[in-house]
Amino acid sequence: MDQPSILNLFKSQANSERAAFVARYFKTGPGQYGENDLFLGLSVGQTRAIAKQFRTLPQKDVLGLVQSPYHEHRAAALFIWVDQFKKGDPLQRMEIFESYVAHRQYVNNWDLVDVSARDIVGAFLYDQDRSLLHDYAQSNHLWSVRIAVIATLYFIKRKDYTDTLALCTLLLSHPHDLIHKACGWMLREVGEQDREVLKEFLDEHTRQMPRTMLRYAIEKLPESERQYYLKLK
């Protein structure tokens, strides 16, 4: 099966009414973070199912999907890459990582970042130099910043919190709510692994944390502790 086949499958399942709704949900209006993105109107489940059928798609065809103007095409490409990365040998994993990094301008909404950054960027960099993440976090490209933060979820699951805490500290003053949410989510995940590490971070930074970041971070804490940090804020 080739790229034309997967495109035809997407076309056959397109839903214009749902596409209009999803376009609003992902903030595609003028000046919004998803400005000008295009949707076919497939559900995530439909997109995943198509990606599963084409999980052996050649890299040149996956790259074609990554660069598509349609959100679902890009999502499917990322699902395929994640699957191929997990099953690939070291050379294949490096090729996918490098392609992902080179084309990250197409990983251009929070859902696309969230389904791919951990399992490609985080997984590749786990035993490598991670300075790339800190470079991304200091860039002016919103999605590169979010990729850096979400990638650390791979480390968190392995009880390695150093980069997460450093990036969240660096991003305390970031202006965008989507970064506040990402940092808060990762801090909450740290707390799921080690509550004391989270509380040490909160004790030091609560007063500087954006409220959204704080609320996400403390979501799983006991109510008394949640109220303590909210009042401290």
PDB file of all heavy atoms in Angstrom, residues 58-95:
ATOM      1  N   PRO A  58       6.748   3.616   3.590  1.00  0.00           N
ATOM      2  CA  PRO A  58       8.145   4.074   3.415  1.00  0.00           C
ATOM      3  C   PRO A  58       8.334   5.502   3.924  1.00  0.00           C
ATOM      4  O   PRO A  58       7.403   6.314   3.914  1.00  0.00           O
ATOM      5  CB  PRO A  58       8.351   4.003   1.894  1.00  0.00           C
ATOM      6  CG  PRO A  58       7.333   3.030   1.410  1.00  0.00           C
ATOM      7  CD  PRO A  58       6.142   3.193   2.321  1.00  0.00           C
ATOM      8  N   GLN A  59       9.559   5.810   4.314  1.00  0.00           N
ATOM      9  CA  GLN A  59       9.830   7.110   4.920  1.00  0.00           C
ATOM     10  C   GLN A  59       9.490   8.282   3.991  1.00  0.00           C
ATOM     11  O   GLN A  59       8.989   9.313   4.455  1.00  0.00           O
ATOM     12  CB  GLN A  59      11.299   7.193   5.338  1.00  0.00           C
ATOM     13  CG  GLN A  59      11.647   6.340   6.544  1.00  0.00           C
ATOM     14  CD  GLN A  59      10.792   6.685   7.754  1.00  0.00           C
ATOM     15  OE1 GLN A  59      10.740   7.827   8.195  1.00  0.00           O
ATOM     16  NE2 GLN A  59      10.095   5.690   8.293  1.00  0.00           N
ATOM     17  N   LYS A  60       9.721   8.138   2.707  1.00  0.00           N
ATOM     18  CA  LYS A  60       9.415   9.248   1.801  1.00  0.00           C
ATOM     19  C   LYS A  60       7.918   9.537   1.787  1.00  0.00           C
ATOM     20  O   LYS A  60       7.504  10.704   1.671  1.00  0.00           O
ATOM     21  CB  LYS A  60       9.911   8.947   0.387  1.00  0.00           C
ATOM     22  CG  LYS A  60       9.255   7.750  -0.295  1.00  0.00           C
ATOM     23  CD  LYS A  60       9.818   7.542  -1.690  1.00  0.00           C
ATOM     24  CE  LYS A  60       9.186   6.348  -2.373  1.00  0.00           C
ATOM     25  NZ  LYS A  60       7.720   6.509  -2.587  1.00  0.00           N
ATOM     26  N   ASP A  61       7.091   8.517   1.950  1.00  0.00           N
ATOM     27  CA  ASP A  61       5.650   8.730   1.971  1.00  0.00           C
ATOM     28  C   ASP A  61       5.187   9.275   3.319  1.00  0.00           C
ATOM     29  O   ASP A  61       4.251  10.081   3.381  1.00  0.00           O
ATOM     30  CB  ASP A  61       4.914   7.420   1.650  1.00  0.00           C
ATOM     31  CG  ASP A  61       5.123   6.981   0.202  1.00  0.00           C
ATOM     32  OD1 ASP A  61       5.358   7.870  -0.640  1.00  0.00           O
ATOM     33  OD2 ASP A  61       5.060   5.771  -0.075  1.00  0.00           O
ATOM     34  N   VAL A  62       5.838   8.828   4.394  1.00  0.00           N
ATOM     35  CA  VAL A  62       5.514   9.396   5.710  1.00  0.00           C
ATOM     36  C   VAL A  62       5.848  10.888   5.716  1.00  0.00           C
ATOM     37  O   VAL A  62       5.068  11.709   6.209  1.00  0.00           O
ATOM     38  CB  VAL A  62       6.268   8.668   6.843  1.00  0.00           C
ATOM     39  CG1 VAL A  62       5.895   9.271   8.198  1.00  0.00           C
ATOM     40  CG2 VAL A  62       5.959   7.178   6.841  1.00  0.00           C
ATOM     41  N   LEU A  63       6.983  11.243   5.143  1.00  0.00           N
ATOM     42  CA  LEU A  63       7.361  12.655   5.076  1.00  0.00           C
ATOM     43  C   LEU A  63       6.358  13.470   4.266  1.00  0.00           C
ATOM     44  O   LEU A  63       6.063  14.618   4.590  1.00  0.00           O
ATOM     45  CB  LEU A  63       8.753  12.799   4.467  1.00  0.00           C
ATOM     46  CG  LEU A  63       9.926  12.555   5.410  1.00  0.00           C
ATOM     47  CD1 LEU A  63      11.243  12.532   4.637  1.00  0.00           C
ATOM     48  CD2 LEU A  63       9.972  13.618   6.489  1.00  0.00           C
ATOM     49  N   GLY A  64       5.806  12.858   3.217  1.00  0.00           N
ATOM     50  CA  GLY A  64       4.777  13.537   2.446  1.00  0.00           C
ATOM     51  C   GLY A  64       3.562  13.849   3.288  1.00  0.00           C
ATOM     52  O   GLY A  64       2.978  14.941   3.195  1.00  0.00           O
ATOM     53  N   LEU A  65       3.179  12.910   4.152  1.00  0.00           N
ATOM     54  CA  LEU A  65       2.048  13.128   5.056  1.00  0.00           C
ATOM     55  C   LEU A  65       2.374  14.181   6.111  1.00  0.00           C
ATOM     56  O   LEU A  65       1.538  15.018   6.458  1.00  0.00           O
ATOM     57  CB  LEU A  65       1.663  11.816   5.746  1.00  0.00           C
ATOM     58  CG  LEU A  65       1.012  10.734   4.894  1.00  0.00           C
ATOM     59  CD1 LEU A  65       0.823   9.471   5.728  1.00  0.00           C
ATOM     60  CD2 LEU A  65      -0.326  11.206   4.334  1.00  0.00           C
ATOM     61  N   VAL A  66       3.592  14.143   6.637  1.00  0.00           N
ATOM     62  CA  VAL A  66       3.999  15.115   7.651  1.00  0.00           C
ATOM     63  C   VAL A  66       3.863  16.540   7.123  1.00  0.00           C
ATOM     64  O   VAL A  66       3.481  17.455   7.862  1.00  0.00           O
ATOM     65  CB  VAL A  66       5.458  14.854   8.087  1.00  0.00           C
ATOM     66  CG1 VAL A  66       6.029  16.027   8.861  1.00  0.00           C
ATOM     67  CG2 VAL A  66       5.521  13.599   8.963  1.00  0.00           C
ATOM     68  N   GLN A  67       4.138  16.721   5.853  1.00  0.00           N
ATOM     69  CA  GLN A  67       4.117  18.055   5.258  1.00  0.00           C
ATOM     70  C   GLN A  67       2.758  18.426   4.651  1.00  0.00           C
ATOM     71  O   GLN A  67       2.623  19.488   4.039  1.00  0.00           O
ATOM     72  CB  GLN A  67       5.204  18.131   4.178  1.00  0.00           C
ATOM     73  CG  GLN A  67       6.607  17.952   4.748  1.00  0.00           C
ATOM     74  CD  GLN A  67       7.666  17.854   3.673  1.00  0.00           C
ATOM     75  OE1 GLN A  67       8.024  18.848   3.036  1.00  0.00           O
ATOM     76  NE2 GLN A  67       8.179  16.651   3.449  1.00  0.00           N
ATOM     77  N   SER A  68       1.756  17.581   4.865  1.00  0.00           N
ATOM     78  CA  SER A  68       0.424  17.851   4.325  1.00  0.00           C
ATOM     79  C   SER A  68      -0.225  19.046   5.017  1.00  0.00           C
ATOM     80  O   SER A  68      -0.013  19.276   6.213  1.00  0.00           O
ATOM     81  CB  SER A  68      -0.468  16.623   4.515  1.00  0.00           C
ATOM     82  OG  SER A  68      -1.822  16.937   4.229  1.00  0.00           O
ATOM     83  N   PRO A  69      -1.047  19.805   4.317  1.00  0.00           N
ATOM     84  CA  PRO A  69      -1.791  20.883   4.972  1.00  0.00           C
ATOM     85  C   PRO A  69      -2.905  20.366   5.880  1.00  0.00           C
ATOM     86  O   PRO A  69      -3.432  21.134   6.690  1.00  0.00           O
ATOM     87  CB  PRO A  69      -2.373  21.675   3.790  1.00  0.00           C
ATOM     88  CG  PRO A  69      -2.450  20.699   2.670  1.00  0.00           C
ATOM     89  CD  PRO A  69      -1.275  19.776   2.851  1.00  0.00           C
ATOM     90  N   TYR A  70      -3.236  19.079   5.768  1.00  0.00           N
ATOM     91  CA  TYR A  70      -4.342  18.521   6.562  1.00  0.00           C
ATOM     92  C   TYR A  70      -3.837  17.929   7.877  1.00  0.00           C
ATOM     93  O   TYR A  70      -2.926  17.114   7.906  1.00  0.00           O
ATOM     94  CB  TYR A  70      -5.105  17.466   5.764  1.00  0.00           C
ATOM     95  CG  TYR A  70      -5.925  18.087   4.659  1.00  0.00           C
ATOM     96  CD1 TYR A  70      -5.480  18.047   3.339  1.00  0.00           C
ATOM     97  CD2 TYR A  70      -7.122  18.749   4.936  1.00  0.00           C
ATOM     98  CE1 TYR A  70      -6.217  18.639   2.320  1.00  0.00           C
ATOM     99  CE2 TYR A  70      -7.870  19.344   3.927  1.00  0.00           C
ATOM    100  CZ  TYR A  70      -7.405  19.293   2.626  1.00  0.00           C
ATOM    101  OH  TYR A  70      -8.133  19.885   1.625  1.00  0.00           O
ATOM    102  N   HIS A  71      -4.468  18.364   8.932  1.00  0.00           N
ATOM    103  CA  HIS A  71      -4.092  17.969  10.292  1.00  0.00           C
ATOM    104  C   HIS A  71      -4.097  16.449  10.465  1.00  0.00           C
ATOM    105  O   HIS A  71      -3.171  15.878  11.055  1.00  0.00           O
ATOM    106  CB  HIS A  71      -5.083  18.621  11.267  1.00  0.00           C
ATOM    107  CG  HIS A  71      -4.691  18.550  12.697  1.00  0.00           C
ATOM    108  ND1 HIS A  71      -4.082  19.594  13.354  1.00  0.00           N
ATOM    109  CD2 HIS A  71      -4.836  17.564  13.624  1.00  0.00           C
ATOM    110  CE1 HIS A  71      -3.866  19.251  14.619  1.00  0.00           C
ATOM    111  NE2 HIS A  71      -4.315  18.032  14.807  1.00  0.00           N
ATOM    112  N   GLU A  72      -5.115  15.787   9.976  1.00  0.00           N
ATOM    113  CA  GLU A  72      -5.218  14.334  10.158  1.00  0.00           C
ATOM    114  C   GLU A  72      -4.110  13.588   9.438  1.00  0.00           C
ATOM    115  O   GLU A  72      -3.650  12.543   9.904  1.00  0.00           O
ATOM    116  CB  GLU A  72      -6.589  13.829   9.695  1.00  0.00           C
ATOM    117  CG  GLU A  72      -7.754  14.301  10.565  1.00  0.00           C
ATOM    118  CD  GLU A  72      -8.376  15.595  10.077  1.00  0.00           C
ATOM    119  OE1 GLU A  72      -7.718  16.321   9.295  1.00  0.00           O
ATOM    120  OE2 GLU A  72      -9.519  15.877  10.467  1.00  0.00           O
ATOM    121  N   HIS A  73      -3.688  14.094   8.279  1.00  0.00           N
ATOM    122  CA  HIS A  73      -2.551  13.477   7.588  1.00  0.00           C
ATOM    123  C   HIS A  73      -1.297  13.557   8.445  1.00  0.00           C
ATOM    124  O   HIS A  73      -0.548  12.576   8.576  1.00  0.00           O
ATOM    125  CB  HIS A  73      -2.284  14.192   6.265  1.00  0.00           C
ATOM    126  CG  HIS A  73      -3.331  13.973   5.220  1.00  0.00           C
ATOM    127  ND1 HIS A  73      -3.354  14.684   4.036  1.00  0.00           N
ATOM    128  CD2 HIS A  73      -4.395  13.129   5.170  1.00  0.00           C
ATOM    129  CE1 HIS A  73      -4.379  14.292   3.300  1.00  0.00           C
ATOM    130  NE2 HIS A  73      -5.038  13.364   3.970  1.00  0.00           N
ATOM    131  N   ARG A  74      -1.070  14.728   9.033  1.00  0.00           N
ATOM    132  CA  ARG A  74       0.126  14.898   9.862  1.00  0.00           C
ATOM    133  C   ARG A  74       0.038  14.020  11.111  1.00  0.00           C
ATOM    134  O   ARG A  74       1.036  13.426  11.533  1.00  0.00           O
ATOM    135  CB  ARG A  74       0.305  16.380  10.238  1.00  0.00           C
ATOM    136  CG  ARG A  74       0.436  17.279   9.008  1.00  0.00           C
ATOM    137  CD  ARG A  74       0.996  18.650   9.315  1.00  0.00           C
ATOM    138  NE  ARG A  74       0.256  19.389  10.317  1.00  0.00           N
ATOM    139  CZ  ARG A  74      -0.884  20.047  10.087  1.00  0.00           C
ATOM    140  NH1 ARG A  74      -1.441  20.040   8.881  1.00  0.00           N
ATOM    141  NH2 ARG A  74      -1.479  20.719  11.053  1.00  0.00           N
ATOM    142  N   ALA A  75      -1.144  13.943  11.689  1.00  0.00           N
ATOM    143  CA  ALA A  75      -1.315  13.085  12.870  1.00  0.00           C
ATOM    144  C   ALA A  75      -1.022  11.629  12.524  1.00  0.00           C
ATOM    145  O   ALA A  75      -0.334  10.923  13.278  1.00  0.00           O
ATOM    146  CB  ALA A  75      -2.735  13.232  13.423  1.00  0.00           C
ATOM    147  N   ALA A  76      -1.545  11.164  11.400  1.00  0.00           N
ATOM    148  CA  ALA A  76      -1.300   9.774  10.992  1.00  0.00           C
ATOM    149  C   ALA A  76       0.186   9.520  10.782  1.00  0.00           C
ATOM    150  O   ALA A  76       0.716   8.472  11.185  1.00  0.00           O
ATOM    151  CB  ALA A  76      -2.075   9.456   9.710  1.00  0.00           C
ATOM    152  N   ALA A  77       0.875  10.468  10.155  1.00  0.00           N
ATOM    153  CA  ALA A  77       2.316  10.321   9.954  1.00  0.00           C
ATOM    154  C   ALA A  77       3.044  10.160  11.283  1.00  0.00           C
ATOM    155  O   ALA A  77       3.953   9.327  11.420  1.00  0.00           O
ATOM    156  CB  ALA A  77       2.858  11.529   9.199  1.00  0.00           C
ATOM    157  N   LEU A  78       2.627  10.936  12.281  1.00  0.00           N
ATOM    158  CA  LEU A  78       3.266  10.854  13.591  1.00  0.00           C
ATOM    159  C   LEU A  78       2.950   9.539  14.285  1.00  0.00           C
ATOM    160  O   LEU A  78       3.829   8.942  14.930  1.00  0.00           O
ATOM    161  CB  LEU A  78       2.849  12.050  14.447  1.00  0.00           C
ATOM    162  CG  LEU A  78       3.310  13.402  13.907  1.00  0.00           C
ATOM    163  CD1 LEU A  78       2.682  14.541  14.693  1.00  0.00           C
ATOM    164  CD2 LEU A  78       4.832  13.517  13.915  1.00  0.00           C
ATOM    165  N   PHE A  79       1.725   9.061  14.158  1.00  0.00           N
ATOM    166  CA  PHE A  79       1.386   7.738  14.708  1.00  0.00           C
ATOM    167  C   PHE A  79       2.261   6.658  14.058  1.00  0.00           C
ATOM    168  O   PHE A  79       2.749   5.745  14.734  1.00  0.00           O
ATOM    169  CB  PHE A  79      -0.089   7.408  14.462  1.00  0.00           C
ATOM    170  CG  PHE A  79      -1.057   8.237  15.256  1.00  0.00           C
ATOM    171  CD1 PHE A  79      -2.257   8.661  14.684  1.00  0.00           C
ATOM    172  CD2 PHE A  79      -0.811   8.591  16.572  1.00  0.00           C
ATOM    173  CE1 PHE A  79      -3.171   9.415  15.408  1.00  0.00           C
ATOM    174  CE2 PHE A  79      -1.715   9.347  17.310  1.00  0.00           C
ATOM    175  CZ  PHE A  79      -2.901   9.763  16.711  1.00  0.00           C
ATOM    176  N   ILE A  80       2.440   6.765  12.743  1.00  0.00           N
ATOM    177  CA  ILE A  80       3.266   5.786  12.025  1.00  0.00           C
ATOM    178  C   ILE A  80       4.715   5.871  12.492  1.00  0.00           C
ATOM    179  O   ILE A  80       5.360   4.852  12.756  1.00  0.00           O
ATOM    180  CB  ILE A  80       3.166   6.013  10.504  1.00  0.00           C
ATOM    181  CG1 ILE A  80       1.758   5.664  10.005  1.00  0.00           C
ATOM    182  CG2 ILE A  80       4.213   5.171   9.755  1.00  0.00           C
ATOM    183  CD1 ILE A  80       1.469   6.110   8.582  1.00  0.00           C
ATOM    184  N   TRP A  81       5.220   7.091  12.613  1.00  0.00           N
ATOM    185  CA  TRP A  81       6.606   7.259  13.063  1.00  0.00           C
ATOM    186  C   TRP A  81       6.823   6.692  14.464  1.00  0.00           C
ATOM    187  O   TRP A  81       7.832   6.044  14.729  1.00  0.00           O
ATOM    188  CB  TRP A  81       6.981   8.732  13.036  1.00  0.00           C
ATOM    189  CG  TRP A  81       7.767   9.129  11.828  1.00  0.00           C
ATOM    190  CD1 TRP A  81       8.343   8.298  10.898  1.00  0.00           C
ATOM    191  CD2 TRP A  81       8.096  10.464  11.418  1.00  0.00           C
ATOM    192  NE1 TRP A  81       8.992   9.036   9.937  1.00  0.00           N
ATOM    193  CE2 TRP A  81       8.861  10.355  10.233  1.00  0.00           C
ATOM    194  CE3 TRP A  81       7.804  11.717  11.935  1.00  0.00           C
ATOM    195  CZ2 TRP A  81       9.347  11.465   9.555  1.00  0.00           C
ATOM    196  CZ3 TRP A  81       8.290  12.836  11.266  1.00  0.00           C
ATOM    197  CH2 TRP A  81       9.056  12.709  10.087  1.00  0.00           C
ATOM    198  N   VAL A  82       5.886   6.948  15.362  1.00  0.00           N
ATOM    199  CA  VAL A  82       6.024   6.425  16.726  1.00  0.00           C
ATOM    200  C   VAL A  82       6.088   4.906  16.696  1.00  0.00           C
ATOM    201  O   VAL A  82       6.928   4.288  17.355  1.00  0.00           O
ATOM    202  CB  VAL A  82       4.868   6.918  17.619  1.00  0.00           C
ATOM    203  CG1 VAL A  82       4.812   6.126  18.927  1.00  0.00           C
ATOM    204  CG2 VAL A  82       5.018   8.403  17.928  1.00  0.00           C
ATOM    205  N   ASP A  83       5.212   4.292  15.910  1.00  0.00           N
ATOM    206  CA  ASP A  83       5.194   2.826  15.815  1.00  0.00           C
ATOM    207  C   ASP A  83       6.500   2.309  15.204  1.00  0.00           C
ATOM    208  O   ASP A  83       7.097   1.347  15.709  1.00  0.00           O
ATOM    209  CB  ASP A  83       3.999   2.386  14.971  1.00  0.00           C
ATOM    210  CG  ASP A  83       3.839   0.876  14.946  1.00  0.00           C
ATOM    211  OD1 ASP A  83       3.500   0.295  15.998  1.00  0.00           O
ATOM    212  OD2 ASP A  83       4.069   0.264  13.879  1.00  0.00           O
ATOM    213  N   GLN A  84       6.953   2.953  14.136  1.00  0.00           N
ATOM    214  CA  GLN A  84       8.185   2.517  13.487  1.00  0.00           C
ATOM    215  C   GLN A  84       9.395   2.749  14.387  1.00  0.00           C
ATOM    216  O   GLN A  84      10.330   1.931  14.398  1.00  0.00           O
ATOM    217  CB  GLN A  84       8.362   3.260  12.159  1.00  0.00           C
ATOM    218  CG  GLN A  84       7.337   2.857  11.096  1.00  0.00           C
ATOM    219  CD  GLN A  84       7.517   3.603   9.784  1.00  0.00           C
ATOM    220  OE1 GLN A  84       8.258   4.580   9.705  1.00  0.00           O
ATOM    221  NE2 GLN A  84       6.828   3.159   8.751  1.00  0.00           N
ATOM    222  N   PHE A  85       9.386   3.842  15.138  1.00  0.00           N
ATOM    223  CA  PHE A  85      10.490   4.124  16.055  1.00  0.00           C
ATOM    224  C   PHE A  85      10.592   3.039  17.123  1.00  0.00           C
ATOM    225  O   PHE A  85      11.682   2.542  17.420  1.00  0.00           O
ATOM    226  CB  PHE A  85      10.287   5.490  16.712  1.00  0.00           C
ATOM    227  CG  PHE A  85      11.431   5.924  17.578  1.00  0.00           C
ATOM    228  CD1 PHE A  85      12.425   6.750  17.077  1.00  0.00           C
ATOM    229  CD2 PHE A  85      11.527   5.524  18.906  1.00  0.00           C
ATOM    230  CE1 PHE A  85      13.494   7.159  17.866  1.00  0.00           C
ATOM    231  CE2 PHE A  85      12.579   5.924  19.701  1.00  0.00           C
ATOM    232  CZ  PHE A  85      13.571   6.740  19.182  1.00  0.00           C
ATOM    233  N   LYS A  86       9.454   2.669  17.705  1.00  0.00           N
ATOM    234  CA  LYS A  86       9.462   1.666  18.767  1.00  0.00           C
ATOM    235  C   LYS A  86       9.981   0.319  18.282  1.00  0.00           C
ATOM    236  O   LYS A  86      10.619  -0.422  19.031  1.00  0.00           O
ATOM    237  CB  LYS A  86       8.056   1.513  19.347  1.00  0.00           C
ATOM    238  CG  LYS A  86       7.600   2.697  20.184  1.00  0.00           C
ATOM    239  CD  LYS A  86       6.179   2.491  20.692  1.00  0.00           C
ATOM    240  CE  LYS A  86       5.746   3.658  21.588  1.00  0.00           C
ATOM    241  NZ  LYS A  86       4.348   3.508  22.050  1.00  0.00           N
ATOM    242  N   LYS A  87       9.723   0.006  17.019  1.00  0.00           N
ATOM    243  CA  LYS A  87      10.093  -1.310  16.475  1.00  0.00           C
ATOM    244  C   LYS A  87      11.407  -1.276  15.707  1.00  0.00           C
ATOM    245  O   LYS A  87      11.911  -2.324  15.292  1.00  0.00           O
ATOM    246  CB  LYS A  87       8.975  -1.814  15.555  1.00  0.00           C
ATOM    247  CG  LYS A  87       7.665  -2.062  16.294  1.00  0.00           C
ATOM    248  CD  LYS A  87       6.546  -2.424  15.342  1.00  0.00           C
ATOM    249  CE  LYS A  87       5.245  -2.651  16.100  1.00  0.00           C
ATOM    250  NZ  LYS A  87       4.095  -2.917  15.194  1.00  0.00           N
ATOM    251  N   GLY A  88      11.967  -0.086  15.520  1.00  0.00           N
ATOM    252  CA  GLY A  88      13.129   0.047  14.663  1.00  0.00           C
ATOM    253  C   GLY A  88      14.442  -0.286  15.332  1.00  0.00           C
ATOM    254  O   GLY A  88      14.557  -0.311  16.567  1.00  0.00           O
ATOM    255  N   ASP A  89      15.451  -0.516  14.511  1.00  0.00           N
ATOM    256  CA  ASP A  89      16.806  -0.699  15.027  1.00  0.00           C
ATOM    257  C   ASP A  89      17.415   0.687  15.260  1.00  0.00           C
ATOM    258  O   ASP A  89      16.809   1.705  14.916  1.00  0.00           O
ATOM    259  CB  ASP A  89      17.643  -1.542  14.060  1.00  0.00           C
ATOM    260  CG  ASP A  89      17.791  -0.912  12.674  1.00  0.00           C
ATOM    261  OD1 ASP A  89      17.852   0.339  12.573  1.00  0.00           O
ATOM    262  OD2 ASP A  89      17.841  -1.660  11.679  1.00  0.00           O
ATOM    263  N   PRO A  90      18.596   0.763  15.861  1.00  0.00           N
ATOM    264  CA  PRO A  90      19.178   2.069  16.179  1.00  0.00           C
ATOM    265  C   PRO A  90      19.292   3.014  14.984  1.00  0.00           C
ATOM    266  O   PRO A  90      19.055   4.218  15.120  1.00  0.00           O
ATOM    267  CB  PRO A  90      20.546   1.711  16.751  1.00  0.00           C
ATOM    268  CG  PRO A  90      20.335   0.371  17.381  1.00  0.00           C
ATOM    269  CD  PRO A  90      19.382  -0.336  16.466  1.00  0.00           C
ATOM    270  N   LEU A  91      19.635   2.495  13.820  1.00  0.00           N
ATOM    271  CA  LEU A  91      19.765   3.343  12.639  1.00  0.00           C
ATOM    272  C   LEU A  91      18.403   3.904  12.217  1.00  0.00           C
ATOM    273  O   LEU A  91      18.284   5.090  11.882  1.00  0.00           O
ATOM    274  CB  LEU A  91      20.383   2.547  11.491  1.00  0.00           C
ATOM    275  CG  LEU A  91      20.779   3.363  10.246  1.00  0.00           C
ATOM    276  CD1 LEU A  91      21.805   4.429  10.600  1.00  0.00           C
ATOM    277  CD2 LEU A  91      21.318   2.434   9.161  1.00  0.00           C
ATOM    278  N   GLN A  92      17.388   3.057  12.239  1.00  0.00           N
ATOM    279  CA  GLN A  92      16.043   3.520  11.883  1.00  0.00           C
ATOM    280  C   GLN A  92      15.525   4.551  12.885  1.00  0.00           C
ATOM    281  O   GLN A  92      14.892   5.544  12.506  1.00  0.00           O
ATOM    282  CB  GLN A  92      15.088   2.322  11.817  1.00  0.00           C
ATOM    283  CG  GLN A  92      15.371   1.379  10.652  1.00  0.00           C
ATOM    284  CD  GLN A  92      14.626   0.058  10.773  1.00  0.00           C
ATOM    285  OE1 GLN A  92      14.474  -0.493  11.864  1.00  0.00           O
ATOM    286  NE2 GLN A  92      14.156  -0.450   9.642  1.00  0.00           N
ATOM    287  N   ARG A  93      15.807   4.331  14.149  1.00  0.00           N
ATOM    288  CA  ARG A  93      15.369   5.268  15.186  1.00  0.00           C
ATOM    289  C   ARG A  93      16.043   6.632  14.993  1.00  0.00           C
ATOM    290  O   ARG A  93      15.400   7.678  15.118  1.00  0.00           O
ATOM    291  CB  ARG A  93      15.694   4.699  16.573  1.00  0.00           C
ATOM    292  CG  ARG A  93      14.789   3.534  16.962  1.00  0.00           C
ATOM    293  CD  ARG A  93      15.389   2.697  18.073  1.00  0.00           C
ATOM    294  NE  ARG A  93      15.536   3.403  19.326  1.00  0.00           N
ATOM    295  CZ  ARG A  93      14.675   3.343  20.348  1.00  0.00           C
ATOM    296  NH1 ARG A  93      13.589   2.608  20.236  1.00  0.00           N
ATOM    297  NH2 ARG A  93      14.901   4.002  21.458  1.00  0.00           N
ATOM    298  N   MET A  94      17.321   6.609  14.659  1.00  0.00           N
ATOM    299  CA  MET A  94      18.024   7.863  14.409  1.00  0.00           C
ATOM    300  C   MET A  94      17.441   8.578  13.189  1.00  0.00           C
ATOM    301  O   MET A  94      17.250   9.807  13.213  1.00  0.00           O
ATOM    302  CB  MET A  94      19.522   7.615  14.204  1.00  0.00           C
ATOM    303  CG  MET A  94      20.314   8.894  13.912  1.00  0.00           C
ATOM    304  SD  MET A  94      22.085   8.603  13.707  1.00  0.00           S
ATOM    305  CE  MET A  94      22.542   8.249  15.401  1.00  0.00           C
ATOM    306  N   GLU A  95      17.130   7.838  12.152  1.00  0.00           N
ATOM    307  CA  GLU A  95      16.567   8.437  10.941  1.00  0.00           C
ATOM    308  C   GLU A  95      15.226   9.106  11.246  1.00  0.00           C
ATOM    309  O   GLU A  95      14.961  10.237  10.797  1.00  0.00           O
ATOM    310  CB  GLU A  95      16.387   7.375   9.857  1.00  0.00           C
ATOM    311  CG  GLU A  95      15.808   7.926   8.559  1.00  0.00           C
ATOM    312  CD  GLU A  95      15.539   6.850   7.518  1.00  0.00           C
ATOM    313  OE1 GLU A  95      15.817   5.667   7.796  1.00  0.00           O
ATOM    314  OE2 GLU A  95      15.040   7.196   6.429  1.00  0.00           O
TER     315      GLU A  95
END
